[in-house]
Amino acid sequence: MSAADTVAYKILTGEQLARLLADGTFAGAPVDIADGYIHLSAAPQAQGTLDKHFAGQDDLHIAVVDLTALGDAVKWEVSRGGALFPHIYADLPLSAVLSHAPVSRDDAGTLQLPH
């Protein structure tokens, strides 16, 4: 696993982020609960996830997730376009969130990932 594979990104609505911060854990969005795991994106995948699944939505945030803190709960599995995506087979604890920020784009419309 390379250093690039040690963090992934979770796009959250404002309500979902508030729940994570208040409860200290996040059980997942409705799609996560339906699928049985929490969907994350690697850095190169985050923009595609945002554009495909969150188009037209406001009050979105992106959380930086430390995959090493989640251990064996993380599985890299084939998803959109045959690419491997990180999935969490557990709740997301706030302790694994390195940072979070509102979704923002640069002048070209490119997603700016928080550090």
Side-chain angles (χ1 to χ4, degrees):
M1 182 163 58
S2 73
D5 295 331
T6 63
V7 297
Y9 300 88
K10 177 64 181 169
I11 300 169
L12 300 164
T13 65
E15 178 185 338
Q16 290 165 351
L17 177 62
R19 194 173 327 132
L20 170 63
L21 296 175
D23 298 345
T25 188
F26 179 64
V31 67
D32 299 325
I33 294 166
D35 288 347
Y37 54 85
I38 296 178
H39 295 259
L40 299 178
S41 298
Q45 301 164 333
Q47 172 114 27
T49 298
L50 178 67
D51 293 345
K52 179 176 170 119
H53 297 288
F54 297 90
Q57 294 186 44
D58 294 323
D59 193 25
L60 295 175
H61 302 264
I62 191 158
V64 182
V65 178
D66 178 5
L67 298 180
T68 59
L70 299 171
D72 292 342
V74 178
K75 308 279 186 237
W76 287 81
E77 298 175 318
V78 175
S79 189
R80 185 174 70 234
L84 292 176
F85 279 73
H87 297 150
I88 305 173
Y89 284 86
D91 289 354
L92 173 60
L94 184 57
S95 61
V97 175
L98 300 172
S99 64
H100 58 85
V103 165
S104 67
R105 296 176 186 260
D106 65 15
D107 292 340
T110 303
L111 174 65
Q112 300 299 291
L113 293 172
H115 301 285

